[in-house]
Amino acid sequence: VNLERLFCVELNTASKNLWWPRVITVTLDGKDQPYNFYNNYPQRLSANERYKYGAPNIWMCNQGSSTCSIESHTGVERNDDTNQISVMAIIYGRAGSTLTGLLDDPHTNNFELGQADKFRFTQLRNVRSLRCIV
């Protein structure tokens, strides 16, 4: 099979364990640019019906071809930092909206006191002129 372009990935499981995939990266043979698929909702993969956000199959889809970087600056006062948060952004523009993946670098403790964190997302929808980020 010769795949020219990917739009979505579907993940399926029969396992009762719970997994929260944040980003799935797929590289096609002969292509330089990998495809990144972000989990834009609190979708967790599990066949166990006891988990509120678990589902035995989830879709993660490509939104477009734009790249976006978001930088956050954490305060310096006591209790301004956290490591117990899941943050995503909705970017609104003149041509609609797009959703980022989680603002999280798994190799770094993000949101530490006085720290600046930079997050880069690829394959987002081009919203043209930026109106706001929620």
Side-chain angles (χ1 to χ4, degrees):
V1 175
N2 182 11
L3 298 174
E4 291 294 322
R5 189 160 178 224
L6 295 178
F7 294 98
C8 296
V9 293
E10 179 180 7
L11 305 174
N12 297 288
T13 188
S15 173
K16 299 291 184 186
N17 293 327
L18 185 68
W19 178 44
W20 187 3
R22 296 177 178 204
V23 179
I24 300 293
T25 300
V26 178
T27 303
L28 299 176
D29 290 343
K31 302 284 183 184
D32 294 331
Q33 182 70 30
Y35 290 88
N36 292 313
F37 300 93
Y38 301 104
N39 188 347
N40 297 324
Y41 304 98
Q43 299 180 107
R44 291 162 176 89
L45 193 63
S46 178
N48 190 336
E49 294 177 2
R50 294 184 311 154
Y51 292 124
K52 182 177 181 180
Y53 296 106
N57 62 350
I58 61 175
W59 285 77
M60 296 165 64
C61 295
N62 185 324
Q63 299 178 67
S65 59
S66 293
T67 297
C68 171
S69 292
I70 296 175
E71 188 169 325
S72 71
H73 296 263
T74 301
V76 296
E77 301 293 324
R78 185 173 172 233
N79 297 322
D80 283 352
D81 61 330
T82 184
N83 60 2
Q84 301 293 321
I85 192 168
S86 298
V87 179
M88 292 182 242
I90 303 172
I91 302 168
Y92 292 95
R94 192 178 61 172
S97 64
T98 192
L99 296 113
T100 69
L102 284 169
L103 278 66
D104 180 49
D105 179 349
H107 308 293
T108 305
N109 283 334
N110 302 115
F111 310 114
E112 296 290 318
L113 286 177
Q115 182 172 298
D117 295 297
K118 191 168 187 176
F119 308 96
R120 184 173 182 269
F121 300 96
T122 59
Q123 280 115 21
L124 298 181
R125 181 177 179 192
N126 183 352
V127 297
R128 295 166 106 193
S129 58
L130 180 67
R131 292 202 169 153
C132 70
I133 298 174
V134 180

